[in-house]
Structures are given as structure tokens and as C-alpha cells.
PDB file of all heavy atoms in Angstrom:
ATOM      1  N   ASP P   1    -179.412 -17.326  48.802  1.00  0.00           N
ATOM      2  CA  ASP P   1    -178.864 -18.597  49.285  1.00  0.00           C
ATOM      3  C   ASP P   1    -178.150 -19.423  48.231  1.00  0.00           C
ATOM      4  O   ASP P   1    -177.666 -20.516  48.537  1.00  0.00           O
ATOM      5  CB  ASP P   1    -179.997 -19.459  49.866  1.00  0.00           C
ATOM      6  CG  ASP P   1    -180.731 -18.760  50.992  1.00  0.00           C
ATOM      7  OD1 ASP P   1    -180.084 -18.004  51.739  1.00  0.00           O
ATOM      8  OD2 ASP P   1    -181.952 -18.965  51.119  1.00  0.00           O
ATOM      9  N   ASN P   2    -178.066 -18.974  46.997  1.00  0.00           N
ATOM     10  CA  ASN P   2    -177.577 -19.819  45.912  1.00  0.00           C
ATOM     11  C   ASN P   2    -176.166 -20.321  46.158  1.00  0.00           C
ATOM     12  O   ASN P   2    -175.214 -19.542  46.283  1.00  0.00           O
ATOM     13  CB  ASN P   2    -177.619 -19.051  44.586  1.00  0.00           C
ATOM     14  CG  ASN P   2    -177.149 -19.913  43.439  1.00  0.00           C
ATOM     15  OD1 ASN P   2    -177.600 -21.037  43.288  1.00  0.00           O
ATOM     16  ND2 ASN P   2    -176.230 -19.389  42.639  1.00  0.00           N
ATOM     17  N   ALA P   3    -176.032 -21.632  46.240  1.00  0.00           N
ATOM     18  CA  ALA P   3    -174.741 -22.312  46.358  1.00  0.00           C
ATOM     19  C   ALA P   3    -175.000 -23.789  46.118  1.00  0.00           C
ATOM     20  O   ALA P   3    -176.153 -24.222  46.098  1.00  0.00           O
ATOM     21  CB  ALA P   3    -174.124 -22.101  47.743  1.00  0.00           C
ATOM     22  N   ASN P   4    -173.926 -24.558  45.939  1.00  0.00           N
ATOM     23  CA  ASN P   4    -174.120 -25.996  45.783  1.00  0.00           C
ATOM     24  C   ASN P   4    -174.376 -26.634  47.151  1.00  0.00           C
ATOM     25  O   ASN P   4    -173.977 -26.097  48.180  1.00  0.00           O
ATOM     26  CB  ASN P   4    -172.920 -26.649  45.110  1.00  0.00           C
ATOM     27  CG  ASN P   4    -173.336 -27.778  44.193  1.00  0.00           C
ATOM     28  OD1 ASN P   4    -174.290 -28.488  44.489  1.00  0.00           O
ATOM     29  ND2 ASN P   4    -172.633 -27.938  43.086  1.00  0.00           N
ATOM     30  N   VAL P   5    -175.056 -27.776  47.109  1.00  0.00           N
ATOM     31  CA  VAL P   5    -175.496 -28.413  48.356  1.00  0.00           C
ATOM     32  C   VAL P   5    -174.565 -29.548  48.754  1.00  0.00           C
ATOM     33  O   VAL P   5    -173.856 -30.110  47.920  1.00  0.00           O
ATOM     34  CB  VAL P   5    -176.934 -28.954  48.218  1.00  0.00           C
ATOM     35  CG1 VAL P   5    -177.911 -27.808  48.032  1.00  0.00           C
ATOM     36  CG2 VAL P   5    -177.042 -29.953  47.079  1.00  0.00           C
ATOM     37  N   HIS P   6    -174.541 -29.841  50.057  1.00  0.00           N
ATOM     38  CA  HIS P   6    -173.891 -31.011  50.650  1.00  0.00           C
ATOM     39  C   HIS P   6    -172.377 -30.977  50.595  1.00  0.00           C
ATOM     40  O   HIS P   6    -171.729 -31.819  51.208  1.00  0.00           O
ATOM     41  CB  HIS P   6    -174.349 -32.308  49.962  1.00  0.00           C
ATOM     42  CG  HIS P   6    -175.833 -32.545  50.028  1.00  0.00           C
ATOM     43  ND1 HIS P   6    -176.545 -33.020  48.952  1.00  0.00           N
ATOM     44  CD2 HIS P   6    -176.731 -32.378  51.027  1.00  0.00           C
ATOM     45  CE1 HIS P   6    -177.824 -33.146  49.279  1.00  0.00           C
ATOM     46  NE2 HIS P   6    -177.972 -32.743  50.536  1.00  0.00           N
ATOM     47  N   ARG P   7    -171.786 -30.038  49.892  1.00  0.00           N
ATOM     48  CA  ARG P   7    -170.348 -30.136  49.623  1.00  0.00           C
ATOM     49  C   ARG P   7    -169.550 -28.964  50.179  1.00  0.00           C
ATOM     50  O   ARG P   7    -168.340 -28.895  49.989  1.00  0.00           O
ATOM     51  CB  ARG P   7    -170.097 -30.243  48.123  1.00  0.00           C
ATOM     52  CG  ARG P   7    -170.863 -31.389  47.491  1.00  0.00           C
ATOM     53  CD  ARG P   7    -170.815 -31.351  45.987  1.00  0.00           C
ATOM     54  NE  ARG P   7    -171.809 -32.239  45.411  1.00  0.00           N
ATOM     55  CZ  ARG P   7    -172.090 -32.329  44.122  1.00  0.00           C
ATOM     56  NH1 ARG P   7    -171.439 -31.565  43.272  1.00  0.00           N
ATOM     57  NH2 ARG P   7    -172.999 -33.153  43.679  1.00  0.00           N
ATOM     58  N   GLY P   8    -170.215 -28.024  50.805  1.00  0.00           N
ATOM     59  CA  GLY P   8    -169.496 -26.848  51.283  1.00  0.00           C
ATOM     60  C   GLY P   8    -169.725 -26.625  52.769  1.00  0.00           C
ATOM     61  O   GLY P   8    -170.742 -27.057  53.330  1.00  0.00           O
ATOM     62  N   VAL P   9    -168.782 -25.958  53.408  1.00  0.00           N
ATOM     63  CA  VAL P   9    -168.937 -25.625  54.823  1.00  0.00           C
ATOM     64  C   VAL P   9    -169.213 -24.144  55.023  1.00  0.00           C
ATOM     65  O   VAL P   9    -169.387 -23.697  56.155  1.00  0.00           O
ATOM     66  CB  VAL P   9    -167.670 -26.033  55.622  1.00  0.00           C
ATOM     67  CG1 VAL P   9    -167.478 -27.538  55.580  1.00  0.00           C
ATOM     68  CG2 VAL P   9    -166.425 -25.314  55.082  1.00  0.00           C
ATOM     69  N   HIS P  10    -169.269 -23.380  53.941  1.00  0.00           N
ATOM     70  CA  HIS P  10    -169.535 -21.951  54.082  1.00  0.00           C
ATOM     71  C   HIS P  10    -171.034 -21.723  54.262  1.00  0.00           C
ATOM     72  O   HIS P  10    -171.868 -22.600  54.004  1.00  0.00           O
ATOM     73  CB  HIS P  10    -168.975 -21.160  52.891  1.00  0.00           C
ATOM     74  CG  HIS P  10    -169.511 -21.571  51.558  1.00  0.00           C
ATOM     75  ND1 HIS P  10    -170.717 -21.131  51.068  1.00  0.00           N
ATOM     76  CD2 HIS P  10    -168.976 -22.375  50.602  1.00  0.00           C
ATOM     77  CE1 HIS P  10    -170.920 -21.633  49.865  1.00  0.00           C
ATOM     78  NE2 HIS P  10    -169.880 -22.405  49.556  1.00  0.00           N
ATOM     79  N   ALA P  11    -171.376 -20.535  54.681  1.00  0.00           N
ATOM     80  CA  ALA P  11    -172.749 -20.239  55.103  1.00  0.00           C
ATOM     81  C   ALA P  11    -173.761 -20.441  53.979  1.00  0.00           C
ATOM     82  O   ALA P  11    -174.844 -21.004  54.205  1.00  0.00           O
ATOM     83  CB  ALA P  11    -172.825 -18.808  55.634  1.00  0.00           C
ATOM     84  N   LEU P  12    -173.446 -19.981  52.769  1.00  0.00           N
ATOM     85  CA  LEU P  12    -174.411 -20.109  51.684  1.00  0.00           C
ATOM     86  C   LEU P  12    -174.677 -21.575  51.354  1.00  0.00           C
ATOM     87  O   LEU P  12    -175.826 -21.970  51.096  1.00  0.00           O
ATOM     88  CB  LEU P  12    -173.926 -19.363  50.439  1.00  0.00           C
ATOM     89  CG  LEU P  12    -174.482 -17.934  50.262  1.00  0.00           C
ATOM     90  CD1 LEU P  12    -174.061 -17.039  51.417  1.00  0.00           C
ATOM     91  CD2 LEU P  12    -174.050 -17.355  48.916  1.00  0.00           C
ATOM     92  N   SER P  13    -173.628 -22.385  51.346  1.00  0.00           N
ATOM     93  CA  SER P  13    -173.815 -23.807  51.059  1.00  0.00           C
ATOM     94  C   SER P  13    -174.668 -24.470  52.137  1.00  0.00           C
ATOM     95  O   SER P  13    -175.527 -25.308  51.835  1.00  0.00           O
ATOM     96  CB  SER P  13    -172.462 -24.513  50.961  1.00  0.00           C
ATOM     97  OG  SER P  13    -172.637 -25.894  50.712  1.00  0.00           O
ATOM     98  N   GLU P  14    -174.441 -24.095  53.368  1.00  0.00           N
ATOM     99  CA  GLU P  14    -175.243 -24.668  54.447  1.00  0.00           C
ATOM    100  C   GLU P  14    -176.706 -24.250  54.329  1.00  0.00           C
ATOM    101  O   GLU P  14    -177.613 -25.053  54.556  1.00  0.00           O
ATOM    102  CB  GLU P  14    -174.663 -24.265  55.796  1.00  0.00           C
ATOM    103  CG  GLU P  14    -173.315 -24.929  56.090  1.00  0.00           C
ATOM    104  CD  GLU P  14    -172.750 -24.534  57.439  1.00  0.00           C
ATOM    105  OE1 GLU P  14    -173.301 -23.573  58.055  1.00  0.00           O
ATOM    106  OE2 GLU P  14    -171.773 -25.167  57.878  1.00  0.00           O
ATOM    107  N   ARG P  15    -176.943 -22.972  53.947  1.00  0.00           N
ATOM    108  CA  ARG P  15    -178.328 -22.522  53.785  1.00  0.00           C
ATOM    109  C   ARG P  15    -178.982 -23.214  52.602  1.00  0.00           C
ATOM    110  O   ARG P  15    -180.158 -23.594  52.653  1.00  0.00           O
ATOM    111  CB  ARG P  15    -178.378 -21.001  53.611  1.00  0.00           C
ATOM    112  CG  ARG P  15    -177.948 -20.219  54.842  1.00  0.00           C
ATOM    113  CD  ARG P  15    -178.619 -18.857  54.922  1.00  0.00           C
ATOM    114  NE  ARG P  15    -178.421 -18.024  53.758  1.00  0.00           N
ATOM    115  CZ  ARG P  15    -177.564 -16.992  53.692  1.00  0.00           C
ATOM    116  NH1 ARG P  15    -176.802 -16.697  54.742  1.00  0.00           N
ATOM    117  NH2 ARG P  15    -177.469 -16.267  52.601  1.00  0.00           N
ATOM    118  N   ALA P  16    -178.237 -23.369  51.500  1.00  0.00           N
ATOM    119  CA  ALA P  16    -178.783 -24.046  50.332  1.00  0.00           C
ATOM    120  C   ALA P  16    -179.102 -25.504  50.652  1.00  0.00           C
ATOM    121  O   ALA P  16    -180.149 -26.032  50.242  1.00  0.00           O
ATOM    122  CB  ALA P  16    -177.807 -23.965  49.162  1.00  0.00           C
ATOM    123  N   THR P  17    -178.222 -26.149  51.388  1.00  0.00           N
ATOM    124  CA  THR P  17    -178.454 -27.545  51.769  1.00  0.00           C
ATOM    125  C   THR P  17    -179.699 -27.670  52.637  1.00  0.00           C
ATOM    126  O   THR P  17    -180.521 -28.580  52.443  1.00  0.00           O
ATOM    127  CB  THR P  17    -177.234 -28.113  52.506  1.00  0.00           C
ATOM    128  OG1 THR P  17    -176.095 -28.071  51.636  1.00  0.00           O
ATOM    129  CG2 THR P  17    -177.482 -29.542  52.965  1.00  0.00           C
ATOM    130  N   GLU P  18    -179.855 -26.765  53.577  1.00  0.00           N
ATOM    131  CA  GLU P  18    -181.051 -26.805  54.427  1.00  0.00           C
ATOM    132  C   GLU P  18    -182.317 -26.552  53.625  1.00  0.00           C
ATOM    133  O   GLU P  18    -183.350 -27.199  53.848  1.00  0.00           O
ATOM    134  CB  GLU P  18    -180.924 -25.782  55.555  1.00  0.00           C
ATOM    135  CG  GLU P  18    -182.176 -25.641  56.424  1.00  0.00           C
ATOM    136  CD  GLU P  18    -182.685 -26.944  56.996  1.00  0.00           C
ATOM    137  OE1 GLU P  18    -181.862 -27.861  57.252  1.00  0.00           O
ATOM    138  OE2 GLU P  18    -183.920 -27.069  57.197  1.00  0.00           O
ATOM    139  N   ALA P  19    -182.246 -25.637  52.661  1.00  0.00           N
ATOM    140  CA  ALA P  19    -183.414 -25.377  51.819  1.00  0.00           C
ATOM    141  C   ALA P  19    -183.763 -26.607  50.989  1.00  0.00           C
ATOM    142  O   ALA P  19    -184.944 -26.971  50.853  1.00  0.00           O
ATOM    143  CB  ALA P  19    -183.147 -24.178  50.908  1.00  0.00           C
ATOM    144  N   TYR P  20    -182.748 -27.257  50.447  1.00  0.00           N
ATOM    145  CA  TYR P  20    -182.963 -28.434  49.601  1.00  0.00           C
ATOM    146  C   TYR P  20    -183.509 -29.605  50.414  1.00  0.00           C
ATOM    147  O   TYR P  20    -184.505 -30.242  50.031  1.00  0.00           O
ATOM    148  CB  TYR P  20    -181.637 -28.809  48.945  1.00  0.00           C
ATOM    149  CG  TYR P  20    -181.697 -29.953  47.972  1.00  0.00           C
ATOM    150  CD1 TYR P  20    -182.400 -29.853  46.778  1.00  0.00           C
ATOM    151  CD2 TYR P  20    -181.010 -31.145  48.231  1.00  0.00           C
ATOM    152  CE1 TYR P  20    -182.434 -30.902  45.867  1.00  0.00           C
ATOM    153  CE2 TYR P  20    -181.034 -32.195  47.333  1.00  0.00           C
ATOM    154  CZ  TYR P  20    -181.744 -32.069  46.151  1.00  0.00           C
ATOM    155  OH  TYR P  20    -181.776 -33.107  45.253  1.00  0.00           O
ATOM    156  N   GLU P  21    -182.888 -29.886  51.541  1.00  0.00           N
ATOM    157  CA  GLU P  21    -183.354 -30.998  52.371  1.00  0.00           C
ATOM    158  C   GLU P  21    -184.665 -30.650  53.071  1.00  0.00           C
ATOM    159  O   GLU P  21    -185.485 -31.538  53.344  1.00  0.00           O
ATOM    160  CB  GLU P  21    -182.283 -31.401  53.376  1.00  0.00           C
ATOM    161  CG  GLU P  21    -181.033 -31.999  52.740  1.00  0.00           C
ATOM    162  CD  GLU P  21    -181.334 -33.225  51.876  1.00  0.00           C
ATOM    163  OE1 GLU P  21    -182.305 -33.955  52.181  1.00  0.00           O
ATOM    164  OE2 GLU P  21    -180.613 -33.435  50.880  1.00  0.00           O
ATOM    165  N   GLY P  22    -184.881 -29.358  53.334  1.00  0.00           N
ATOM    166  CA  GLY P  22    -186.182 -28.947  53.852  1.00  0.00           C
ATOM    167  C   GLY P  22    -187.283 -29.187  52.837  1.00  0.00           C
ATOM    168  O   GLY P  22    -188.402 -29.570  53.185  1.00  0.00           O
ATOM    169  N   ALA P  23    -186.960 -28.972  51.559  1.00  0.00           N
ATOM    170  CA  ALA P  23    -187.928 -29.270  50.498  1.00  0.00           C
ATOM    171  C   ALA P  23    -188.226 -30.760  50.458  1.00  0.00           C
ATOM    172  O   ALA P  23    -189.380 -31.170  50.239  1.00  0.00           O
ATOM    173  CB  ALA P  23    -187.388 -28.792  49.150  1.00  0.00           C
ATOM    174  N   ARG P  24    -187.237 -31.597  50.670  1.00  0.00           N
ATOM    175  CA  ARG P  24    -187.461 -33.036  50.690  1.00  0.00           C
ATOM    176  C   ARG P  24    -188.417 -33.412  51.821  1.00  0.00           C
ATOM    177  O   ARG P  24    -189.322 -34.227  51.656  1.00  0.00           O
ATOM    178  CB  ARG P  24    -186.136 -33.786  50.853  1.00  0.00           C
ATOM    179  CG  ARG P  24    -186.272 -35.285  50.541  1.00  0.00           C
ATOM    180  CD  ARG P  24    -185.009 -36.057  50.923  1.00  0.00           C
ATOM    181  NE  ARG P  24    -183.787 -35.490  50.408  1.00  0.00           N
ATOM    182  CZ  ARG P  24    -183.300 -35.722  49.183  1.00  0.00           C
ATOM    183  NH1 ARG P  24    -183.984 -36.478  48.357  1.00  0.00           N
ATOM    184  NH2 ARG P  24    -182.165 -35.172  48.803  1.00  0.00           N
TER     185      ARG P  24
END
């Protein structure tokens, strides 16, 4: 899932964002 969060519309960025916000 490695990608930057909140700033991309591609699949990896969306998965990374969900993982990060899920951690929150």
C-alpha cells in the first residue's frame, strides 16, 4: 500500500489514506 496520503487519486494513495485514517 505504500504511497503518500490525502493527495492522490490512484489506488495505492487511496489505500494508504484509508490505512492512515483508519489508524487514527
Side-chain angles (χ1 to χ4, degrees):
D1 302 326
N2 181 49
N4 216 325
V5 294
H6 301 138
R7 305 170 194 174
V9 296
H10 58 82
L12 264 62
S13 179
E14 291 181 349
R15 294 208 304 257
T17 299
E18 174 53 31
Y20 184 66
E21 294 303 330
R24 194 189 309 276

